[in-house]
Amino acid sequence: MKILSIRNLKKYFPIRSGVFLQVSGWVRALENVNMDISQGETIGIVGESGCGKSTLGRTMVKIYEPTVGSITYCDPSGEIHDVSRNIDRRVEPTFRKDVQMIFQNPFDSLDPRMTIRDTIREPLETHRLFASRKMMDERIAELLMKVGLYPEYAQRYPHEFSGGQRQRIAIARSISVNPRLLICDEPTSALDVSVQSQIINLLKDIQRDTNMSLIFISHNLDVVHHMSDRIMVMYLGNVVESAPATELFDHPAHPYTQALMSAIPSWNPKDRKLGQVKLEGEPPSPINPPTGCPFHPRCPHRLEICRRVKPEAAEVGEGHSSACHLHSV
Ligand SMILES: Nc1ncnc2c1ncn2[C@@H]1O[C@H](COP(=O)(O)OP(=O)(O)OP(=O)(O)O)[C@@H](O)[C@H]1O
Ligand SMILES: [Mg+2]
């Protein structure tokens, strides 16, 4: 069962200038995104800074409204709802409970004035999941233990905890309402390497116990490789390649994916005839994206057509798509 389906999603942010703050241009944060999220699946989303990963996550949880395109949501009873724009009031509470997100920086995402108990209790109260305060407190203690913290921590405040512990608290809060989809936006990038893997293992354990779907956003292909069933590679607001994780690592098709892979020191391209694709310079600005293929200015294999025509995503293997003109020459 698909929890969310995303079709032709675009998100443009207006750039305002002048005394009257007229719209003078657009940041094209998402150009064209298609994706399906099935129950229990882990999807990794990778790409360089500014390629639109957070915008995609935030659009999925409806912090942002799509500029163009659709998002459909399948509720637990199997009924499909369009949640692209205004969500039907009868569906909204279930949607808000089902789709949760945790953010990059655990130092910003918790309210410093609230105890841990109140922080975790808030969503439980909003969604009226428990009849009594006592039951809620029991659930909070259980959640704290589940994320590897002591139940006694409930009465403390966020400043008393380390970054890794705060991220555990944020995880406890987001899973408190039993979401069916958890979107993790670089949840470990502000943490030490040793703490990073603990948090990743924690998320995988929770997923195994609950069968929730996980979307894991990272700029690091190495991190998502180990935990994802499927990986989507983004470049300048576009999904340039999408494939099952092992397939992507065995047969990366898009020159951009190949470049990301050759940048991983631990990855050994011994038997794989990739050649070294070097990524030079910075990605172009999403305010003024290149014509044709968004990657062509940095692509070592670019052809004449790449400058003019934007390549469509094409099947290059089972469940494997890539948007590159090289596949059709
Ligand atoms: N609220 C906003 N208003 C205007 N522009 C925005 C907004 N949010 C993001 N952008 C722009 O959209 C583009 C995509 O940003 P986004 O944060 O989604 O990238 P990202 O892939 O998450 O990057 P990072 O790896 O640095 O977190 C960037 O050019 C960014 O400046
Ligand atoms: Mg981001």
Side-chain angles (χ1 to χ4, degrees), residues 216-232:
F216 199 91
I217 295 174
S218 175
H219 55 267
N220 186 338
L221 196 53
D222 220 9
V223 169
V224 295
H225 172 214
H226 297 293
M227 61 181 312
S228 307
D229 301 314
R230 160 173 289 278
I231 295 177
M232 283 174 35

PDB file of all heavy atoms in Angstrom, residues 216-232:
ATOM      1  N   PHE A 216      14.781   9.134   4.479  1.00  0.00           N
ATOM      2  CA  PHE A 216      15.996   9.575   5.128  1.00  0.00           C
ATOM      3  C   PHE A 216      16.745  10.502   4.185  1.00  0.00           C
ATOM      4  O   PHE A 216      17.225  10.088   3.140  1.00  0.00           O
ATOM      5  CB  PHE A 216      16.846   8.355   5.483  1.00  0.00           C
ATOM      6  CG  PHE A 216      17.861   8.638   6.530  1.00  0.00           C
ATOM      7  CD1 PHE A 216      17.561   8.445   7.869  1.00  0.00           C
ATOM      8  CD2 PHE A 216      19.110   9.123   6.187  1.00  0.00           C
ATOM      9  CE1 PHE A 216      18.495   8.729   8.845  1.00  0.00           C
ATOM     10  CE2 PHE A 216      20.051   9.416   7.157  1.00  0.00           C
ATOM     11  CZ  PHE A 216      19.742   9.216   8.493  1.00  0.00           C
ATOM     12  N   ILE A 217      16.807  11.783   4.573  1.00  0.00           N
ATOM     13  CA  ILE A 217      17.440  12.796   3.731  1.00  0.00           C
ATOM     14  C   ILE A 217      18.872  12.993   4.186  1.00  0.00           C
ATOM     15  O   ILE A 217      19.126  13.129   5.388  1.00  0.00           O
ATOM     16  CB  ILE A 217      16.665  14.126   3.855  1.00  0.00           C
ATOM     17  CG1 ILE A 217      15.255  13.959   3.283  1.00  0.00           C
ATOM     18  CG2 ILE A 217      17.423  15.260   3.174  1.00  0.00           C
ATOM     19  CD1 ILE A 217      14.358  15.167   3.493  1.00  0.00           C
ATOM     20  N   SER A 218      19.811  12.997   3.239  1.00  0.00           N
ATOM     21  CA  SER A 218      21.202  13.222   3.614  1.00  0.00           C
ATOM     22  C   SER A 218      21.969  13.741   2.409  1.00  0.00           C
ATOM     23  O   SER A 218      21.606  13.464   1.273  1.00  0.00           O
ATOM     24  CB  SER A 218      21.813  11.899   4.078  1.00  0.00           C
ATOM     25  OG  SER A 218      23.171  12.063   4.342  1.00  0.00           O
ATOM     26  N   HIS A 219      23.040  14.506   2.665  1.00  0.00           N
ATOM     27  CA  HIS A 219      23.872  14.883   1.522  1.00  0.00           C
ATOM     28  C   HIS A 219      24.937  13.820   1.302  1.00  0.00           C
ATOM     29  O   HIS A 219      25.729  13.904   0.378  1.00  0.00           O
ATOM     30  CB  HIS A 219      24.503  16.264   1.734  1.00  0.00           C
ATOM     31  CG  HIS A 219      25.283  16.346   3.003  1.00  0.00           C
ATOM     32  ND1 HIS A 219      24.716  16.783   4.167  1.00  0.00           N
ATOM     33  CD2 HIS A 219      26.549  16.007   3.276  1.00  0.00           C
ATOM     34  CE1 HIS A 219      25.623  16.708   5.123  1.00  0.00           C
ATOM     35  NE2 HIS A 219      26.750  16.238   4.611  1.00  0.00           N
ATOM     36  N   ASN A 220      24.927  12.800   2.152  1.00  0.00           N
ATOM     37  CA  ASN A 220      25.968  11.787   2.124  1.00  0.00           C
ATOM     38  C   ASN A 220      25.425  10.443   1.622  1.00  0.00           C
ATOM     39  O   ASN A 220      24.656   9.770   2.292  1.00  0.00           O
ATOM     40  CB  ASN A 220      26.496  11.643   3.557  1.00  0.00           C
ATOM     41  CG  ASN A 220      27.686  10.729   3.630  1.00  0.00           C
ATOM     42  OD1 ASN A 220      27.899   9.904   2.752  1.00  0.00           O
ATOM     43  ND2 ASN A 220      28.454  10.876   4.688  1.00  0.00           N
ATOM     44  N   LEU A 221      25.856  10.076   0.430  1.00  0.00           N
ATOM     45  CA  LEU A 221      25.392   8.838  -0.197  1.00  0.00           C
ATOM     46  C   LEU A 221      25.756   7.615   0.639  1.00  0.00           C
ATOM     47  O   LEU A 221      25.024   6.632   0.693  1.00  0.00           O
ATOM     48  CB  LEU A 221      26.019   8.743  -1.590  1.00  0.00           C
ATOM     49  CG  LEU A 221      25.451   7.770  -2.597  1.00  0.00           C
ATOM     50  CD1 LEU A 221      23.959   7.949  -2.767  1.00  0.00           C
ATOM     51  CD2 LEU A 221      26.143   7.958  -3.933  1.00  0.00           C
ATOM     52  N   ASP A 222      26.897   7.690   1.303  1.00  0.00           N
ATOM     53  CA  ASP A 222      27.365   6.584   2.119  1.00  0.00           C
ATOM     54  C   ASP A 222      26.401   6.288   3.274  1.00  0.00           C
ATOM     55  O   ASP A 222      26.161   5.138   3.614  1.00  0.00           O
ATOM     56  CB  ASP A 222      28.745   6.955   2.687  1.00  0.00           C
ATOM     57  CG  ASP A 222      29.675   5.762   2.675  1.00  0.00           C
ATOM     58  OD1 ASP A 222      29.293   4.734   2.087  1.00  0.00           O
ATOM     59  OD2 ASP A 222      30.769   5.882   3.248  1.00  0.00           O
ATOM     60  N   VAL A 223      25.852   7.349   3.869  1.00  0.00           N
ATOM     61  CA  VAL A 223      24.943   7.171   5.002  1.00  0.00           C
ATOM     62  C   VAL A 223      23.648   6.495   4.546  1.00  0.00           C
ATOM     63  O   VAL A 223      23.184   5.540   5.157  1.00  0.00           O
ATOM     64  CB  VAL A 223      24.621   8.535   5.673  1.00  0.00           C
ATOM     65  CG1 VAL A 223      23.493   8.402   6.668  1.00  0.00           C
ATOM     66  CG2 VAL A 223      25.857   9.101   6.349  1.00  0.00           C
ATOM     67  N   VAL A 224      23.077   6.966   3.445  1.00  0.00           N
ATOM     68  CA  VAL A 224      21.781   6.397   3.026  1.00  0.00           C
ATOM     69  C   VAL A 224      21.932   4.989   2.447  1.00  0.00           C
ATOM     70  O   VAL A 224      21.027   4.178   2.541  1.00  0.00           O
ATOM     71  CB  VAL A 224      21.031   7.277   1.997  1.00  0.00           C
ATOM     72  CG1 VAL A 224      20.633   8.599   2.603  1.00  0.00           C
ATOM     73  CG2 VAL A 224      21.812   7.476   0.739  1.00  0.00           C
ATOM     74  N   HIS A 225      23.096   4.709   1.886  1.00  0.00           N
ATOM     75  CA  HIS A 225      23.329   3.403   1.265  1.00  0.00           C
ATOM     76  C   HIS A 225      22.999   2.258   2.211  1.00  0.00           C
ATOM     77  O   HIS A 225      22.354   1.294   1.860  1.00  0.00           O
ATOM     78  CB  HIS A 225      24.794   3.329   0.825  1.00  0.00           C
ATOM     79  CG  HIS A 225      25.221   1.988   0.342  1.00  0.00           C
ATOM     80  ND1 HIS A 225      26.483   1.505   0.543  1.00  0.00           N
ATOM     81  CD2 HIS A 225      24.561   1.018  -0.328  1.00  0.00           C
ATOM     82  CE1 HIS A 225      26.575   0.297   0.015  1.00  0.00           C
ATOM     83  NE2 HIS A 225      25.428  -0.009  -0.529  1.00  0.00           N
ATOM     84  N   HIS A 226      23.443   2.402   3.471  1.00  0.00           N
ATOM     85  CA  HIS A 226      23.323   1.295   4.407  1.00  0.00           C
ATOM     86  C   HIS A 226      21.917   1.093   4.936  1.00  0.00           C
ATOM     87  O   HIS A 226      21.609   0.041   5.465  1.00  0.00           O
ATOM     88  CB  HIS A 226      24.286   1.500   5.576  1.00  0.00           C
ATOM     89  CG  HIS A 226      25.701   1.502   5.112  1.00  0.00           C
ATOM     90  ND1 HIS A 226      26.300   0.379   4.596  1.00  0.00           N
ATOM     91  CD2 HIS A 226      26.620   2.489   5.030  1.00  0.00           C
ATOM     92  CE1 HIS A 226      27.529   0.670   4.230  1.00  0.00           C
ATOM     93  NE2 HIS A 226      27.760   1.952   4.479  1.00  0.00           N
ATOM     94  N   MET A 227      21.094   2.100   4.835  1.00  0.00           N
ATOM     95  CA  MET A 227      19.783   1.938   5.448  1.00  0.00           C
ATOM     96  C   MET A 227      18.612   1.965   4.478  1.00  0.00           C
ATOM     97  O   MET A 227      17.504   1.637   4.873  1.00  0.00           O
ATOM     98  CB  MET A 227      19.582   2.967   6.547  1.00  0.00           C
ATOM     99  CG  MET A 227      19.636   4.382   6.072  1.00  0.00           C
ATOM    100  SD  MET A 227      19.430   5.517   7.436  1.00  0.00           S
ATOM    101  CE  MET A 227      18.003   4.857   8.279  1.00  0.00           C
ATOM    102  N   SER A 228      18.850   2.319   3.213  1.00  0.00           N
ATOM    103  CA  SER A 228      17.709   2.521   2.316  1.00  0.00           C
ATOM    104  C   SER A 228      17.390   1.300   1.468  1.00  0.00           C
ATOM    105  O   SER A 228      18.286   0.566   1.065  1.00  0.00           O
ATOM    106  CB  SER A 228      17.997   3.689   1.375  1.00  0.00           C
ATOM    107  OG  SER A 228      18.362   4.817   2.103  1.00  0.00           O
ATOM    108  N   ASP A 229      16.108   1.114   1.195  1.00  0.00           N
ATOM    109  CA  ASP A 229      15.705   0.124   0.197  1.00  0.00           C
ATOM    110  C   ASP A 229      15.852   0.738  -1.185  1.00  0.00           C
ATOM    111  O   ASP A 229      16.224   0.086  -2.136  1.00  0.00           O
ATOM    112  CB  ASP A 229      14.235  -0.267   0.393  1.00  0.00           C
ATOM    113  CG  ASP A 229      13.992  -0.837   1.779  1.00  0.00           C
ATOM    114  OD1 ASP A 229      14.807  -1.686   2.194  1.00  0.00           O
ATOM    115  OD2 ASP A 229      13.031  -0.419   2.446  1.00  0.00           O
ATOM    116  N   ARG A 230      15.521   2.011  -1.264  1.00  0.00           N
ATOM    117  CA  ARG A 230      15.559   2.722  -2.535  1.00  0.00           C
ATOM    118  C   ARG A 230      16.228   4.065  -2.319  1.00  0.00           C
ATOM    119  O   ARG A 230      16.100   4.667  -1.254  1.00  0.00           O
ATOM    120  CB  ARG A 230      14.115   2.894  -3.029  1.00  0.00           C
ATOM    121  CG  ARG A 230      13.864   3.966  -4.051  1.00  0.00           C
ATOM    122  CD  ARG A 230      12.431   3.925  -4.571  1.00  0.00           C
ATOM    123  NE  ARG A 230      12.232   2.762  -5.400  1.00  0.00           N
ATOM    124  CZ  ARG A 230      12.591   2.713  -6.691  1.00  0.00           C
ATOM    125  NH1 ARG A 230      13.101   3.759  -7.294  1.00  0.00           N
ATOM    126  NH2 ARG A 230      12.402   1.632  -7.391  1.00  0.00           N
ATOM    127  N   ILE A 231      16.953   4.538  -3.337  1.00  0.00           N
ATOM    128  CA  ILE A 231      17.633   5.827  -3.218  1.00  0.00           C
ATOM    129  C   ILE A 231      17.221   6.730  -4.376  1.00  0.00           C
ATOM    130  O   ILE A 231      17.113   6.287  -5.524  1.00  0.00           O
ATOM    131  CB  ILE A 231      19.171   5.647  -3.204  1.00  0.00           C
ATOM    132  CG1 ILE A 231      19.592   4.864  -1.945  1.00  0.00           C
ATOM    133  CG2 ILE A 231      19.889   7.003  -3.232  1.00  0.00           C
ATOM    134  CD1 ILE A 231      21.058   4.564  -1.844  1.00  0.00           C
ATOM    135  N   MET A 232      16.950   7.987  -4.043  1.00  0.00           N
ATOM    136  CA  MET A 232      16.668   8.993  -5.057  1.00  0.00           C
ATOM    137  C   MET A 232      17.784  10.024  -5.019  1.00  0.00           C
ATOM    138  O   MET A 232      18.095  10.549  -3.953  1.00  0.00           O
ATOM    139  CB  MET A 232      15.352   9.706  -4.746  1.00  0.00           C
ATOM    140  CG  MET A 232      14.133   8.891  -5.098  1.00  0.00           C
ATOM    141  SD  MET A 232      12.585   9.669  -4.552  1.00  0.00           S
ATOM    142  CE  MET A 232      12.910  11.388  -4.773  1.00  0.00           C
TER     143      MET A 232
END
